[in-house]
Amino acid sequence: MHEFDALLSPKTDRIYADSPDPAIRELALFLKSRPLSPFSRSIAVRMVDCGSSNDVELEEGLTNAPQVDCERFGIHFVASPRHADVLIASGPVSVNMKLALEKTYRAMSRPKAVVAAGDGACTGGLLAGAHGVYKSGRVEEVIPVDVKVAGNPPAPYELVLGMLKAGQILSKKRI
Amino acid sequence: MARPVHSFVCEIGRVCSKAELKASEQPSALWVGVKAQKLPDLCLACLQAGGVFDSAFTYPSSISSHWAAVYVFCVPKLSKPVVLFSHAKQFHSVSAQIPAAVWDERKMREISGADFIGLNDLRPIIIHPESAKFVTNPLRGAHAPGRRPSARERSAGHEEPAGHGSEYGFAGTGEEGEFQIPVGPVHAGIIEPGHFRFHVGGEPIHKLEVRLSFLHRGIEDFACGRPMDGVLPLIEQVSADESVANGVAYAQAVESLASIEVPRKAESLRLILLELERIYSHLADLGGMAMDVGYYASSSRFATLRENMMRLNGRVGGSRFLRGLVVVGGMARDMPEDSLRQIRTSLRLFSDSLAKTEDLTLSSSTFIDRAFSTGRVSPEVARRLSLVGPVARASGVPCDARKHFAYGAYRSNAVRESLGQGGDVFSRFMVKLGEVKESVRLIEHQLAQDIDGPVLSERRDLSKLPSGRMALGWTEAPRGSCMFLVRSANKGALGRLAIRTASWRNWIGIQEAVRGNITADFPLINKSFNLSYAGADL
């Protein structure tokens, strides 16, 4: 059956270890080996775009598409950093967004974990060195980073895995 | 010089003597040089002769300590843009007569440090005062973009920009009982950063001020000095869901500069990519509008369609955002027959599903009730602010660059422009829906033609290109037309790149569209525009 056929009854992707999609395979392995911890079942995520070309945001938006449906993995995007356990930031961090990123991070209660999503956030990416980019552009320059997800941009399942890994790190952090 | 061009130059030339005007015609544009004092008059003459203000740019002039100001007007009857330019140390602002030019002139003033006499709004627009201390690399020589006036220049008459080092200076309408709602830069949803300052009297919005540039990275500046054919990956960072449109616009500017002939097959593939991009980009808007009225049954179906289109992109193009395919001179690689077949089958099924989703959405009285008459943009406002894209077309202003300034494969494939009348959220929904269907038709038509041949031009050596040559390139991106100005430096390097995206033009429009609406409708109006923050901030 063709994927467009089933449209008016949308189907979520099956997560299994021998899927043709490498991102789904990796996610399946992670879910199988994931130990139970206070945060492993549900994490609240706040996203901040600090200078990406909106590619990471569009892919994050699509983690809510019915095929991916990130809420079945316990991931919930929240409106306020006060409600969030995990901050997902894309980059390269622009000089004009540095302050907003710091403030958002400070507004989160502990324990908190940070995901740097996309090449720009991890390494500075293609635009590292441009005059509007803060230092090297890495999110690490501004706030501590726990998980890095590479990609230009990372696909929805790669982002899901990154956020779940951050949720696991949370349980090891001191309150 | 062709006859319509000649008569156009005579028409606008009435405001000054013939000796003051230097006109030269190029394939991409008509260039008219004039003295700085005469520039505003000539701009107005251009408007009266049927031109539409498109953009204004600045770059360092070859004359020491002078700057060049470039005003671009789109003239449908010539089917090409007209560029008015002038070299001077200070300029006269045209924004009093052409309100669309305010943001452009503020940006030009901040980049060059040159005075714009008559420009009232002197607030910095690119680098925020509170962040200015972090800008480590804006100065590439005294003549570089991003320059701030030195202490000596300031004492010689340059003023510090208003608001420098302090508040931005938002100004309400001054009505009694009015209060402000600050929103952003970090918003509640999964979107980009920007600051909105609502001046409201209870629920109705009296005035909205948009403060952008939180995502300013300096792409225009950063690309300069690199080989012209090597900066496309940077151009694709301008705005992700316009990667192809921006890439093609830039490539077309360079191709026109170096007289590179693009093979027919490459033009045909570019059309397919441009329309695939329009489809997935519009699906986000359509789903977003349904979501913002709380109609999740419809929005999740649009999201399903969109994710499927993105997956199709990934399969046929290797990138979900179709990046890395367009290069200067054609395409990086051909698309195998199998990929084209996949596109054909998927689009057929897509059309069926879209029709069902459309029925579902339009049969809901909730949706109609919220969308109808909300966020109205009158045709007069759309014209006065030079709005572009689906926003202008929903107000009944024809402006599709694919039709009126046809480029590439659109020259031989007529586009049916979708036009609305109401100028409200509902009209924008219908226009975007119509454009998705038209895109499907264009791709299917293109696939049926079965064009064959090379996809990359043989002659694309840029190293012998003389420096100082300029050209324009444009495309109709999903959000509206974008304009690229490219200037060559030595040995095929990029001397100056200036970008005007559709979002830059339409953000001013959103300030008008929300006037008189209630605050709760702002997300819906914003979604119906769906402008890119990164695309405007560069």
Side-chain angles (χ1 to χ4, degrees):
Chain A
M1 192 166 81
H2 196 276
E3 60 184 12
F4 280 93
D5 277 351
L7 253 181
L8 291 183
S9 55
K11 243 185 9 184
T12 45
D13 298 320
R14 204 155 64 81
I15 308 294
Y16 56 108
D18 46 357
S19 157
D21 184 345
I24 291 184
R25 280 203 300 272
E26 212 182 326
L27 183 61
L29 288 175
F30 175 84
L31 290 173
K32 211 171 177 183
S33 67
R34 182 169 64 161
L36 280 177
S37 68
F39 284 98
S40 62
R41 289 295 176 209
S42 167
I43 48 171
V45 182
R46 174 65 251 175
M47 63 75 51
V48 180
D49 173 0
C50 316
S52 84
S53 61
N54 88 9
D55 45 7
V56 180
E57 287 60 52
L58 292 170
E59 295 290 45
E60 276 167 18
L62 282 171
T63 59
N64 279 320
Q67 291 98 324
V68 182
D69 186 19
C70 65
E71 299 225 9
R72 65 178 155 150
F73 308 111
I75 295 169
H76 179 54
F77 284 92
V78 291
S80 166
R82 303 259 183 229
H83 304 157
D85 309 310
V86 171
L87 178 71
I88 182 161
S90 57
V93 181
S94 68
V95 293
N96 289 342
M97 269 309 282
K98 176 186 175 280
L99 187 64
L101 176 61
E102 281 172 344
K103 282 186 174 177
T104 310
Y105 181 71
R106 276 207 301 270
M108 290 167 66
S109 56
R110 278 172 299 181
K112 50 190 167 186
V114 177
V115 181
D119 289 345
C122 298
T123 67
L126 290 166
L127 290 165
H131 77 249
V133 172
Y134 179 71
K135 290 189 181 170
S136 69
R138 289 179 294 146
V139 174
E140 274 175 320
E141 301 266 16
V142 187
I143 54 173
V145 169
D146 299 286
V147 179
K148 291 180 181 176
V149 185
N152 180 25
Y157 278 113
E158 289 162 4
L159 290 168
V160 167
L161 183 59
M163 289 185 274
L164 288 178
K165 281 181 178 167
Q168 206 176 28
I169 288 172
L170 270 179
S171 52
K172 293 178 195 143
K173 288 203 171 190
R174 300 222 352 236
I175 297 169
Chain B
M1 202 177 277
R3 259 193 85 204
V5 175
H6 184 75
S7 63
F8 183 83
V9 174
C10 290
E11 195 178 345
I12 62 168
R14 273 189 231 133
V15 293
C16 53
S17 72
K18 214 162 194 178
E20 288 176 313
L21 219 63
K22 275 186 296 198
S24 71
E25 197 187 356
Q26 276 182 12
S28 71
L30 169 69
W31 297 77
V32 182
V34 70
K35 273 189 183 165
Q37 294 91 322
K38 289 284 178 190
L39 202 53
D41 292 343
L42 211 60
C43 286
L44 290 181
C46 228
L47 282 189
Q48 275 155 17
V52 179
F53 174 75
D54 182 273
S55 45
F57 304 124
T58 183
Y59 61 90
S61 159
S62 46
I63 311 165
S64 162
S65 76
H66 279 51
W67 287 79
V70 175
Y71 287 80
V72 184
F73 290 82
C74 286
V75 185
K77 66 181 169 190
L78 301 183
S79 300
K80 65 166 78 173
V82 172
V83 186
L84 311 177
F85 66 95
S86 159
H87 298 253
K89 284 181 183 170
Q90 60 175 24
F91 301 93
H92 294 266
S93 163
V94 300
S95 53
Q97 294 87 10
I98 309 175
V102 174
W103 280 25
D104 299 71
E105 287 189 340
R106 280 170 69 186
K107 185 175 172 183
M108 287 159 82
R109 181 183 179 277
E110 195 178 336
I111 290 175
S112 65
D115 269 341
F116 278 80
I117 300 161
L119 181 65
N120 293 327
D121 195 344
L122 302 180
R123 293 175 292 183
I125 197 165
I126 306 174
I127 300 292
H128 297 168
E130 55 267 39
S131 308
K133 59 176 182 285
F134 300 121
V135 181
T136 48
N137 184 24
L139 316 172
R140 280 200 219 136
H143 224 52
R147 184 179 77 103
R148 297 195 174 280
S150 67
R152 209 185 59 212
E153 282 172 313
R154 278 202 299 274
S155 62
H158 277 287
E159 279 171 34
E160 196 73 5
H164 191 92
S166 62
E167 270 283 298
Y168 180 68
F170 292 101
T173 58
E175 275 181 55
E176 203 186 330
E178 186 176 271
F179 61 95
Q180 298 186 4
I181 307 177
V183 178
V186 179
H187 297 203
I190 308 177
I191 49 166
E192 303 171 77
H195 184 88
F196 301 118
R197 187 62 64 102
F198 298 95
H199 301 277
V200 296
E203 273 296 303
I205 302 169
H206 289 169
K207 185 183 174 187
L208 164 69
E209 285 180 278
V210 180
R211 188 193 191 192
L212 292 180
S213 218
F214 286 92
L215 292 177
H216 176 71
R217 298 146 288 170
I219 293 178
E220 292 171 309
D221 220 2
F222 194 55
C224 293
R226 288 156 196 268
M228 274 187 172
D229 43 8
V231 301
L232 267 158
L234 295 181
I235 304 291
E236 287 172 346
Q237 293 294 319
V238 167
S239 182
D241 48 1
E242 292 173 347
S243 293
V244 182
N246 288 331
V248 170
Y250 172 78
Q252 281 175 349
V254 177
E255 283 150 10
S256 137
L257 189 83
S259 316
I260 296 171
E261 189 106 2
V262 182
R264 245 185 104 216
K265 173 89 195 248
E267 286 191 336
S268 159
L269 288 177
R270 280 182 182 181
L271 181 142
I272 293 172
L273 295 185
L274 284 165
E275 297 306 328
L276 280 176
E277 181 175 73
R278 195 180 319 280
I279 292 174
Y280 84 73
S281 190
H282 276 357
L283 285 173
D285 308 3
L286 298 171
M289 281 185 249
M291 167 114 63
D292 280 343
V293 302
Y295 193 18
Y296 290 90
S298 160
S299 80
S300 62
R301 280 170 174 105
F302 276 120
T304 314
L305 279 172
R306 174 144 176 271
E307 171 66 13
N308 282 338
M309 286 311 288
M310 299 285 279
R311 288 181 182 184
L312 177 69
N313 290 347
R315 279 201 305 276
V316 301
S319 153
R320 284 162 60 93
F321 290 93
L322 299 168
R323 280 174 168 164
L325 292 167
V326 178
V327 292
V328 171
M331 299 287 294
R333 56 180 182 272
D334 200 353
M335 260 192 196
E337 189 54 41
D338 179 50
S339 301
L340 299 179
R341 202 177 308 120
Q342 277 192 50
I343 297 178
R344 201 176 294 135
T345 353
S346 299
L347 281 185
R348 208 173 40 241
L349 295 159
F350 167 79
S351 300
D352 293 347
S353 304
L354 183 72
K356 286 176 194 161
T357 317
E358 180 188 346
D359 283 349
L360 183 78
T361 316
L362 296 181
S363 59
S364 153
S365 55
T366 315
F367 178 76
I368 307 282
D369 190 37
R370 282 291 300 280
F372 208 74
S373 83
T374 306
R376 190 161 264 170
V377 178
S378 68
E380 293 74 40
V381 168
R383 284 210 181 81
R384 185 160 53 87
L385 296 179
S386 292
L387 302 187
V388 294
V391 174
R393 289 195 282 277
S395 300
V397 178
C399 61
D400 198 325
R402 296 176 292 172
K403 185 178 176 189
H404 303 289
F405 302 90
Y407 50 89
Y410 294 108
R411 290 197 198 99
S412 48
N413 292 280
V415 176
R416 292 179 207 141
E417 192 172 8
S418 22
L419 286 173
Q421 284 172 345
D424 52 3
V425 172
F426 186 72
S427 303
R428 290 193 275 279
F429 183 88
M430 292 312 285
V431 165
K432 286 182 179 181
L433 197 61
E435 285 184 9
V436 172
K437 291 179 196 162
E438 175 67 3
S439 294
V440 173
R441 189 191 69 84
L442 282 167
I443 297 174
E444 280 173 347
H445 184 238
Q446 203 56 233
L447 288 171
Q449 286 182 14
D450 201 22
I451 298 164
D452 217 7
V455 294
L456 194 55
S457 167
E458 295 278 321
R459 209 189 52 75
R460 50 173 206 285
D461 183 23
L462 298 169
S463 60
K464 296 201 177 63
L465 208 63
S467 77
R469 277 170 73 169
M470 299 207 284
L472 294 176
W474 61 88
T475 50
E476 182 75 19
R479 297 185 175 94
S481 69
C482 62
M483 182 65 76
F484 278 64
L485 178 133
V486 170
R487 190 169 196 260
S488 63
N490 286 324
K491 291 182 183 155
L494 189 59
R496 172 83 179 131
L497 170 69
I499 305 171
R500 195 277 300 158
T501 58
S503 305
W504 176 260
R505 203 60 312 131
N506 282 356
W507 271 116
I508 311 180
I510 218 165
Q511 300 186 150
E512 292 297 321
V514 298
R515 223 178 264 262
N517 286 269
I518 58 171
T519 321
D521 272 339
F522 174 73
L524 179 61
I525 299 169
N526 193 16
K527 198 48 115 181
S528 74
F529 275 66
N530 192 30
L531 304 176
S532 164
Y533 301 70
D537 300 348
L538 301 175

